Amino acid sequence: MRNPDSLPPTKNEDTPLGLAYALGAYVFWGFLPLYMKLLSHIPAAEVVVHRIIWSLPIAAVVLIILRRTDALREALRTPRMLAMGCVTAALISINWGIYVWAITSGNTLEAALGYYINPLFSIFLASVLLGERLSKAQMLAIALAAGAVLVLTLDAGRMPWVALALTVSWGFYALAKKSLPIGPNQGFLLEVLILIVPALGYLGYLTATAQSHFSLSLTRDTWLLLGCGAVTAVPLMIYANGAKLLRLSTIGILQYIAPTMIFLVAVFVFKEPFGQARMVAFPMIWAALVIYSGSMLRQMRKPQQG
């Protein structure tokens, strides 16, 4: 019997609506640093708390309207699914915290680098943990990305830990998310439900110690923190629906829109320094992504030719 929360299978083809959804989400994420920069005076942990708290009502209302709450209730009653949800919730909260800190502390270029490396790290994880064989083009792409990280490390005298932390946290999040047997919208609500207790606890501590930037008097900070729910939940849920209406290869190409916009914002709006090492490392990453994308497109076309 089919799960009432599951959607009917869709054809493996691109649709105008799917393209509109995905483009909207990626462009939104590309501009997100501009919003987060307005919160630079607020600690990253407090911003993440409000991303969690105010995402909850938005995600809940969407699922109630769509009548897709059955799978969520089942997940909350199933210890194994709940444990898996705890893993994905922990990973996404770590990723959010690092991202917010990167933007607000002047490390936006490293954030862009991290999201450029993401797809390459994902295929590396698939090879190591899932036993998937890498093509020569994919191995070359990973080697180029590793070389770019080495260039930045040698130049700065330290690892580009912000980029690597974003890459690793998101890579393992995506891997764990694949094992969560519910839809992406239900999974997102499950994660914020799991995180809501520690988030409210931390907000209570900040309020009790007069460290909270959230006020019932509706100051500028309060409005910005309230908005964290919308800028977190809306693009995620738009993307989740768009991904179902596009081919995997199309999603693979579109995913570079957000880090490219983040890169441009960092250089031209935030005026972050783009030194010689980055002038070498970023083209290496871009070349790796071209090689990876070409390899992915060829693999996607093989079944159709056969």
Side-chain angles (χ1 to χ4, degrees), residues 50-299:
H50 286 279
R51 293 188 76 172
I52 294 166
I53 292 171
W54 306 116
S55 290
L56 179 57
I58 296 173
V61 166
V62 169
L63 280 192
I64 291 170
I65 291 173
L66 295 177
R67 297 181 180 179
R68 293 180 187 162
T69 57
D70 287 354
L72 178 65
R73 287 196 291 269
E74 182 184 347
L76 290 170
R77 292 194 298 263
T78 308
R80 181 174 176 274
M81 290 176 68
L82 197 56
M84 291 164 62
C86 288
V87 171
T88 59
L91 288 168
I92 195 61
S93 60
I94 291 170
N95 183 268
W96 284 349
I98 297 166
Y99 173 80
V100 172
W101 182 88
I103 303 301
T104 57
S105 64
N107 289 281
T108 307
L109 273 173
E110 277 209 41
L113 177 66
Y115 288 119
Y116 273 131
I117 297 174
N118 261 333
L120 304 175
F121 182 68
S122 292
I123 60 173
F124 172 76
L125 278 182
S127 172
V128 173
L129 299 180
L130 304 180
E132 294 183 11
R133 295 186 61 182
L134 299 179
S135 67
K136 291 181 180 179
Q138 289 173 330
M139 287 189 285
L140 176 59
I142 292 173
L144 278 170
V149 171
L150 180 61
V151 168
L152 292 172
T153 301
L154 293 175
D155 177 71
R158 62 173 181 83
M159 295 285 284
W161 74 267
V162 173
L164 294 178
L166 283 171
T167 298
V168 171
S169 59
W170 185 265
F172 279 104
Y173 171 74
L175 185 67
K177 191 85 166 176
K178 284 181 178 292
S179 303
L180 198 60
I182 55 177
N185 290 339
Q186 294 96 320
F188 175 66
L189 181 53
L190 175 63
E191 289 160 3
V192 291
L193 279 171
I194 290 169
L195 293 169
I196 196 67
V197 174
L200 288 173
Y202 187 63
L203 179 60
Y205 165 77
L206 292 176
T207 303
T209 55
Q211 298 180 64
S212 174
H213 290 78
F214 187 85
S215 169
L216 295 180
S217 58
L218 298 180
T219 61
R220 176 176 177 270
D221 285 349
T222 299
W223 284 114
L224 286 172
L225 290 170
L226 279 170
C228 285
V231 301
T232 299
V234 171
L236 271 172
M237 301 185 88
I238 290 174
Y239 169 80
N241 288 280
K244 296 173 184 175
L245 302 173
L246 292 173
R247 291 178 298 169
L248 180 61
S249 57
T250 304
I251 287 290
I253 300 300
L254 291 178
Q255 69 182 320
Y256 306 136
I257 293 173
T260 299
M261 291 180 65
I262 294 171
F263 170 84
L264 293 173
V265 167
V267 174
F268 295 107
V269 180
F270 298 161
K271 306 296 182 183
E272 291 189 14
F274 192 64
Q276 289 185 343
R278 284 173 171 170
M279 289 181 185
V280 173
F282 271 87
M284 290 176 71
I285 292 292
W286 294 330
L289 293 174
V290 169
I291 294 169
Y292 159 75
S293 299
S295 171
M296 179 185 63
L297 289 171
R298 285 192 297 272
Q299 288 180 352

Side-chain angles (χ1 to χ4, degrees), residues 11-23:
K11 295 180 180 178
N12 185 32
E13 62 183 15
D14 294 330
T15 66
L17 184 59
L19 186 62
Y21 278 149
L23 282 174

